Amino acid sequence: MNDELLSEVRDAALYLTINRPERRNAITPGVLQGLRDGILRANRDADIRAVVITGTGEQAFCAGADLQTGKSFAFDYAEPYLGMADLFRCTRQSTVPLIARVNGACMAGGMGLIAMCDLAIAGEGARFGLPEVKLGLFPAQVLSVLQHLVPRRTLTELCLCGEPLSAREALAAGLVNDVSDDLDGRLDLLLTRLLNNSPAAIRRGLYTLKHMETMSFEQSMAFTESQIGLFALTEDAREGQQAFREKRQPMWTGR
């Protein structure tokens, strides 16, 4: 990792923390690369069961691009793939659950970071917005991961008006799973609930969820008809059913 993106494993979770509080945890190429490297690492390490993405301090989760540099949108157009887009591609392939711990302002590109995650927990003081239109820009890449997450009219208002949502408004819109003054307490509860379940079922389940999202009904039915048989072939599936019959807690192998 690097000084801009901290990495720490706690129990079975990898914490990736944007460490630029003086710039409201704004995104840089180093932050994007660090997030991508961390997620790839988690998907290679069977001992890592979840990835938590957050920001340093209490003011901001991520304020989006660092506009103070004047270079945030100075891309090398000889390169067809951009850093943010590659991060979103990486998360699309992840079968390790990604959880956003939203500790403050979540704006512009920061909205992309929470939208690329599978789950999100926010503090009561968190704010969410797409203010790009106020700067003559538009949240183009972010829409690829955000457009199916919130209602269309909510998304359009966020994009065209640029005004933020409160944490409770974000919860009502389906942008986050929970809002609490006890952010870490709620995060720990979510992690406990997640980590109690079968690692094999979660990995293949996320694979299934992500692949069927853009399928038609008939395509998704054909796909899931094949997937359900594969779920049942895992060691975890056999152990889970046996534990149910024996009225005991399952002993997962993750296979």
Side-chain angles (χ1 to χ4, degrees), residues 236-250:
D236 275 4
R238 290 192 291 272
E239 166 62 12
Q241 293 172 81
Q242 185 172 343
F244 175 80
R245 290 190 293 269
E246 296 174 358
K247 295 181 172 56
R248 61 172 173 82
Q249 291 298 312

Side-chain angles (χ1 to χ4, degrees), residues 94-95 198-212 223 227 231:
S94 177
T95 55
S198 159
I202 288 174
R203 284 198 305 272
R204 182 158 285 282
L206 273 180
Y207 169 87
T208 302
L209 278 169
K210 291 179 178 182
H211 275 75
M212 66 186 292
F223 176 63
Q227 289 299 307
F231 278 106

